[in-house]
């Protein structure tokens, strides 16, 4: 009698979070008399993954579901606030996948990342890479938006509300019924991977478009190049071109050298927010920020590691000329349009003890800010119980808003105990002290479960 062995494997990951904290209410409150709204949340994450469902074939599925309830926010109050839910569920991702012979495919809700953006969509993605190192990728589906089925607004284009259903029911003038409309999107890439001695080289040209009720909501073209073969010189560059505004939206170029005890990198960036075409922010402010960074990491023999970084930024002030902020930004005697600063830090690890200190300072456009962050942790006994702490200090002086100036102090303690190889419980206590929320306390309880079948 013969039997067929199955190589299928399944993985279950679960996390339960109990969150107790408060957020500041900005309506009917003042800087001297802040009003804090309680949040009492239970959040459950559940992930189920399957691998090699067909023997000898790379066929599987991955999924992650988040269910939450806020006992500090009744349904009636949540219904009066845009984008707030007292209880709901979010399907973060759930897709089946296949891979083999240079072909890779995914079908379902998935997260997609490239040089231009991070997005989530319900649909199909197919990628093929030939033995010659030339390939292509196509994808399409419905953009995941806050008003959709089991959906979160985390990855939808910014600058618009999740829904105007409340305003539509109340007959508010200007309410937009298209905010919850389906948003089809599609895109593709041409791919190149260098052969032989150029095996560390890869490049891609991409295009993406999204539509709402037949009108273009977002249209971008991208280009990416990467090179790296382990230690030594590596480089990457990418651009994201906005075809609606016909201008450069995002860009990044980095060159890095990694040695045995030293690493040096230089980076140039252009950063712009990714707005929906219907966003009112296109009327207020859409100017990019250009930034340059130089960093040196030093890791000698022993328990210490060091780094130092210099940063310079240029804030373009193509603001709406009718706004007060634009007048202040363009005032010859106003704040400069650039910032300069840097950061430095050190990390220590010896045995079960670990610690790190980071300090940063920037000054220029928007005022000045100083940050210091100290962390430390220790594993007790056989390492099943760990204790971590964090102390943060910030001094901020906003050049445009005099209310955003002062000193901020935060402290956090994280205790974690491994019950079994698959289960862990953690307790997090956090306390923040500042002039706006006065005493801001937070408590988080976590239970993590991870099992392979």
């Amino acid at each position: 009698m013969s039997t067929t062995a199955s190589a299928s494997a399944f993985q279950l990951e679960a996390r339960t979070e109990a969150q107790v904290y408060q957020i500041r209410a900005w309506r009917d409150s003042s800087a001297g008399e802040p009003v804090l709204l309680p949040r009492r949340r239970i959040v459950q994450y559940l992930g189920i993954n399957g691998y090699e469902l067909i023997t000898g074939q790379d066929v599987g599925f991955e999924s992650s579901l988040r269910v939450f309830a806020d006992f500090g926010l009744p349904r009636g109050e949540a219904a009066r606030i845009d984008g707030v839910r007292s209880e709901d569920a979010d399907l973060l991702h759930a897709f089946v996948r296949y891979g083999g012979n240079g072909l890779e495919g995914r079908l379902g809700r998935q997260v997609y990342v490239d040089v231009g953006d991070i997005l989530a969509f319900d649909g199909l993605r197919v990628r093929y890479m030939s033995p010659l190192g030339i390939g292509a990728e196509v994808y399409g589906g419905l953009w995941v938006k806050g008003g959709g089925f089991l959906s979160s607004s985390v990855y939808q284009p910014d600058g618009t509300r999740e829904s105007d259903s409340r305003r539509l029911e109340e007959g508010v003038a200007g309410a937009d019924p298209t905010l919850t409309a389906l948003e089809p999107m599609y895109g593709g890439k041409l791919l190149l991977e260098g052969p032989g001695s150029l095996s560390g080289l890869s490049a891609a040209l991409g295009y993406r478009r999204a539509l709402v009720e037949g009108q273009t909501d977002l249209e971008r073209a991208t280009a990416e190049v990467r090179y790296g073969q382990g230690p030594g010189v590596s480089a990457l560059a990418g651009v994201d071109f906005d075809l609606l505004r016909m201008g450069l939206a995002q860009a990044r170029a980095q060159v890095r050298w990694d040695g045995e005890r030293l690493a040096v990198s230089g980076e140039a960036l252009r950063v712009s927010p990714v707005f929906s075409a219907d966003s009112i922010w296109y009327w207020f402010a859409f100017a990019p920020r250009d930034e340059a960074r130089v960093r040196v990491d030093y890791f000698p023999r022993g328990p210490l590691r060091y780094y130092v970084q210099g940063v310079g930024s240029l804030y373009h002030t193509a603001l709406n000329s009718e706004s007060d902020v634009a007048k202040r930004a363009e005032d010859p005697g106003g704040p400069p349009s650039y910032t300069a600063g840097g950061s430095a830090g050190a990390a220590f690890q010896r045995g079960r003890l670990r610690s790190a200190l980071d300090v940063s300072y920037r000054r220029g456009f928007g005022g000045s800010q100083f940050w210091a962050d100290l962390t430390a942790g220790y594993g007790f006994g056989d390492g099943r119980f760990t204790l971590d702490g964090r102390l943060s200090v910030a001094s901020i002086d906003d050049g445009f808003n005099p209310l955003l100036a002062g000193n901020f102090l935060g402290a956090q303690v994280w205790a974690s105990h491994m019950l079994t190889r698959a289960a862990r419980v953690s307790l997090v206590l956090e306390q923040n002290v500042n002039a706006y929320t006065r005493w801001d306390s937070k408590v988080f309880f976590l239970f993590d479960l991870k099992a392979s079948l």
Side-chain angles (χ1 to χ4, degrees), residues 242-427:
D242 189 337
L243 295 173
L244 282 180
R245 297 188 56 246
M246 294 305 295
L248 184 64
Q250 323 281 349
R252 182 188 182 194
Q254 182 190 71
V255 178
R256 181 182 176 96
W257 177 82
D258 288 275
E260 182 179 353
R261 298 186 184 181
L262 189 70
V264 181
S265 64
E267 186 174 12
L269 299 166
R270 164 160 287 194
V271 181
S272 302
V274 181
F275 287 137
S276 164
D278 293 327
S279 171
I280 196 173
W281 289 106
Y282 270 129
W283 189 84
F284 284 109
F286 50 82
R289 182 185 90 245
D290 294 332
E291 187 164 290
R293 305 173 184 171
V294 177
R295 173 167 172 150
V296 177
D297 290 83
Y298 178 54
F299 21 86
R301 298 184 184 277
L304 288 169
R305 302 290 185 269
Y306 308 91
Y307 83 91
V308 60
Q309 178 176 252
V311 180
S313 302
L314 175 64
Y315 290 80
H316 295 264
T317 54
L319 309 175
N320 188 307
S321 59
E322 299 179 10
S323 67
D324 292 336
V325 173
K327 296 176 182 178
R328 295 186 61 185
E330 297 172 359
D331 185 353
S337 59
Y338 62 86
T339 65
S343 59
F348 172 87
Q349 183 166 0
R350 173 170 289 172
R352 297 170 183 169
L353 176 64
R354 56 193 177 276
S355 182
L357 173 65
D358 295 275
V359 178
S360 66
Y361 178 77
R362 300 186 72 169
R363 184 176 182 84
F365 183 82
S368 64
Q369 50 182 294
F370 168 82
W371 295 80
D373 191 75
L374 175 65
T375 62
Y378 188 80
F380 295 86
D382 57 358
R384 299 172 66 89
F385 178 76
T386 60
L387 184 64
D388 291 87
R390 179 175 182 175
L391 181 64
S392 301
V393 178
S395 178
I396 299 176
D397 183 10
D398 193 294
F400 293 109
N401 188 346
L403 296 178
L404 297 180
N407 298 318
F408 301 78
L409 176 65
Q412 186 181 84
V413 176
W414 183 309
S416 182
H417 179 63
M418 181 184 294
L419 301 176
T420 67
R421 295 181 61 183
R424 176 181 290 273
V425 293
S426 304
L427 177 65

Side-chain angles (χ1 to χ4, degrees), residues 120-132:
F121 68 93
D122 295 329
L124 174 67
R125 180 174 76 92
V126 178
R127 176 188 178 103
Y128 175 74
M129 181 62 68
S130 73
L132 300 177

Side-chain angles (χ1 to χ4, degrees), residues 91-95 108-114 117-124 139-146 150-157 183-186 208 210:
L91 186 61
L92 304 179
H93 65 263
F95 58 84
R109 176 164 297 180
Q110 52 196 289
V111 177
Y112 186 86
V113 182
D114 65 7
D117 198 7
I118 302 176
L119 61 95
F121 68 93
D122 295 329
L124 174 67
Y139 55 90
L142 297 177
W143 205 309
V144 176
K145 303 168 66 173
L150 295 180
S151 298
S152 168
S153 62
V154 172
Y155 298 118
Q156 76 180 62
E183 185 162 354
M185 54 80 63
Y186 59 89
R208 177 159 61 244

